[in-house]
Amino acid sequence: MVTRLVGLTGKPNVGKSTLYSALTMNIVKIADYPFTTLTPNKGVGYLRKKCVCKNLGVVDNPVNSRCVNGFRFIPVELVDLPGIVPGAHEGRGLGNQFLSEISVADALVHVVDSSGGLDVEGRPVEPDPENTLRDIRFLEEEYDRWLAGIIERGIQKAPKARPSRESVEEALSQVLSGLAIARRDVEKAVEKVNPPDNVSQWSSGVMLELAKAVRMTAKPMVIAANKVDKKGAEEGFRRMRDAGYNPIPISAEAELVLRRAVEAGLVEYYPGDSDFRIVRPEALKEKQVEALEMVRSRVLKTWGSTGVQELLDTVYFKVLNMITVYPVEDPGKLTDKKGNVLPDVYLVPQGMNVKEFAGLIHSDLMKSFLYAVDARRKIRLGEDYVLKDDDVVSIIATGRRA
Ligand SMILES: Nc1nc2c(ncn2[C@@H]2O[C@H](COP(=O)(O)OP(=O)(O)O)[C@@H](O)[C@H]2O)c(=O)[nH]1
Ligand SMILES: [Mg+2]
């Protein structure tokens, strides 16, 4: 499985912990996930994507995921990062630690209070919708200045090479190694900024430009416009949207209320649904009914859903450009060795070919790869075949029965 790590970030009190709790509450009851090294701030969330079972006319028995009402829920890793404060890039408030923690993530969810009711340090203030944009710019700036500092300190120490575009890319990649930044992203940044080939001529401005360009490709950010249930949130949301940020409206609290109610067996609801159903009205206290009705009227009816599921799905499927592929052993029955129908779904980056995919399933499968079978069209696929979203494939290898 190709994993991507999504980090939740934002200033204090925007609702990061609430969102993290909601996202990592396993109400779809997936038992099996491949992540073994979970630390206290790492957890498992679940993507929701239409399953291929209906379209293929089969009833499936998922193993690495779950299928509910025709939707696959797929486990993914999340990390809850500490809150950021102004001056973080200079080390204030554990700033450097925070910024290096951010660097382990492949994508960031920046949680913002849409009602604009918090100052830059996260203290409650008279709501101002402009606070939403201040938050976004401030985080970008702190990160860029921190990264520029790393470039500035590291680039002079890089081994001296004859000035060239190639040596610039090499030096910058080395300086940024350890920050989960791919060489490809460094090359894109260099292409965009076009710095002098001789690194000793780089000004602070050039280094800040490079930091910004690297951040934009290597650490894509999605804005979670939280607290949309609050008064004034619509205006803050609009500000962010009009500034070009594609914010996703969410209410982390509403999602948490719903998931807790599901856990308690009181309501039926699946993350991403536009409504819920009370299954045990007699067990509900008046306060709980009120809270649920509030969720329905202020969030679900107004915004279509709590947005929390859509947020995570957007990060993976639209920002990180991942697709889903279903490997099967038997391309006729669509089963694994044990007879499970459509047992696994894999998340893979767009552009991956089927031989590389074989390597994901098992490194031996890549070495002994002969060809693959497209289980829908029942045709052979050569090793260069580039996988498409929702492909169902069977890998045929030497010494391995189809
Ligand atoms: N109205 C509303 N309040 C929220 C929402 N999400 C979080 N909060 C509240 O915001 C406060 C800060 O939340 P918390 O998750 O601790 O924020 P963190 O400091 O970013 O981790 C708490 O009082 C939460 O109950 C939401 O969607 N709507
Ligand atoms: Mg918190």
Side-chain angles (χ1 to χ4, degrees):
M1 183 78 97
V2 175
T3 58
R4 293 283 189 269
L5 187 59
V6 172
L8 304 186
T9 176
K11 71 187 181 188
N13 290 323
V14 290
K16 287 184 304 296
S17 298
T18 308
L19 177 61
Y20 181 79
S21 303
L23 279 169
T24 55
M25 224 171 138
N26 183 1
I27 58 167
V28 286
K29 307 285 175 215
I30 298 171
D32 241 30
Y33 46 77
F35 322 114
T36 46
T37 55
L38 296 179
T39 54
N41 64 339
K42 268 196 200 167
V44 176
Y46 306 88
L47 299 176
R48 166 174 167 149
K49 190 163 186 280
K50 199 164 175 233
C51 183
V52 296
C53 62
K54 281 223 172 104
N55 184 266
L56 289 165
V58 295
V59 176
D60 53 1
N61 327 88
V63 176
N64 82 344
S65 44
R66 231 193 114 190
C67 188
V68 186
N69 302 334
F71 288 99
R72 274 281 167 140
F73 286 88
I74 310 162
V76 293
E77 258 186 308
L78 296 171
V79 54
D80 185 19
L81 300 163
I84 189 170
V85 295
H89 74 280
E90 292 163 329
R92 204 179 147 233
L94 299 177
N96 284 319
Q97 186 195 327
F98 162 80
L99 288 160
S100 53
E101 275 193 54
I102 265 197
S103 287
V104 304
D106 299 298
L108 299 173
V109 167
H110 184 186
V111 187
V112 174
D113 174 350
S114 313
S115 73
L118 299 169
D119 71 7
V120 73
E121 312 246 356
R123 286 180 298 243
V125 289
E126 192 59 36
D128 175 0
E130 200 59 23
N131 279 338
T132 57
L133 288 177
R134 279 190 200 111
D135 272 19
I136 299 174
R137 291 180 182 138
F138 146 71
L139 178 68
E140 289 176 347
E141 203 168 296
E142 285 293 341
Y143 191 77
D144 293 347
R145 286 165 74 173
W146 174 77
L147 203 57
I150 289 178
I151 295 174
E152 185 151 9
R153 286 187 298 275
I155 204 74
Q156 303 306 341
K157 289 191 222 122
K160 291 277 169 290
R162 205 146 47 83
S164 70
R165 172 61 56 102
E166 180 90 33
S167 69
V168 162
E169 288 167 357
E170 182 55 36
L172 202 50
S173 295
Q174 277 196 20
V175 167
L176 299 176
S177 68
L179 301 180
I181 293 167
R183 170 81 184 221
R184 197 181 57 246
D185 293 334
V186 169
E187 287 168 10
K188 274 191 208 150
V190 170
E191 161 112 39
K192 190 165 160 192
V193 175
N194 194 23
D197 282 350
N198 186 343
V199 300
S200 63
Q201 291 168 1
W202 286 7
S203 65
S204 303
V206 161
M207 290 188 261
L208 192 60
E209 282 300 301
L210 281 166
K212 191 172 171 179
V214 165
R215 188 248 308 154
M216 284 167 74
T217 38
K219 304 289 166 198
M221 211 180 285
V222 173
I223 305 299
N226 193 28
K227 308 194 186 181
V228 291
D229 54 287
K230 284 184 84 169
K231 228 177 97 216
E234 242 163 297
E235 181 54 28
F237 172 75
R238 220 171 301 137
R239 289 280 170 105
M240 291 187 271
R241 197 192 50 198
D242 294 347
Y245 283 106
N246 285 323
I248 302 196
I250 69 164
S251 174
E253 193 130 288
E255 182 70 15
L256 195 57
V257 164
L258 287 170
R259 291 201 191 194
R260 286 194 172 137
V262 171
E263 193 76 345
L266 301 170
V267 311
E268 186 181 79
Y269 164 79
Y270 288 102
D273 286 355
S274 56
D275 204 359
F276 60 85
R277 193 171 66 84
I278 293 177
V279 289
R280 284 174 56 212
E282 72 285 356
L284 283 171
K285 296 189 194 74
E286 202 173 320
K287 274 248 149 55
Q288 289 173 306
V289 175
E290 259 172 43
L292 286 168
E293 281 312 323
M294 193 99 104
V295 165
R296 185 174 268 149
S297 65
R298 289 225 190 128
V299 180
L300 302 177
K301 288 254 190 293
T302 317
W303 298 88
S305 72
T306 70
V308 168
Q309 185 64 54
E310 192 190 346
L311 172 70
L312 199 56
D313 297 343
T314 299
V315 174
Y316 273 82
F317 299 125
K318 301 209 173 119
V319 173
L320 291 171
N321 296 317
M322 305 293 272
I323 59 172
T324 47
V325 176
Y326 295 73
V328 294
E329 287 255 335
D330 184 327
K333 298 194 184 114
L334 309 177
T335 54
D336 63 9
K337 274 198 211 81
K338 295 178 186 148
N340 295 308
V341 178
L342 297 171
D344 294 339
V345 57
Y346 276 55
L347 288 166
V348 304
Q350 244 171 46
M352 180 175 270
N353 71 37
V354 73
K355 189 172 178 182
E356 291 165 331
F357 181 65
L360 282 185
I361 299 171
H362 202 287
S363 55
D364 289 347
L365 264 190
M366 189 153 165
K367 285 182 222 127
S368 55
F369 181 93
L370 293 173
Y371 61 94
V373 174
D374 179 327
R376 289 174 194 276
R377 296 178 291 164
K378 308 281 188 272
I379 55 164
R380 278 191 187 205
L381 306 168
E383 62 178 51
D384 294 333
Y385 171 79
V386 175
L387 294 159
K388 290 199 303 293
D389 194 31
D390 286 345
D391 268 347
V392 183
V393 297
S394 183
I395 309 294
I396 312 299
T398 51
R400 190 179 196 242
R401 206 173 51 85

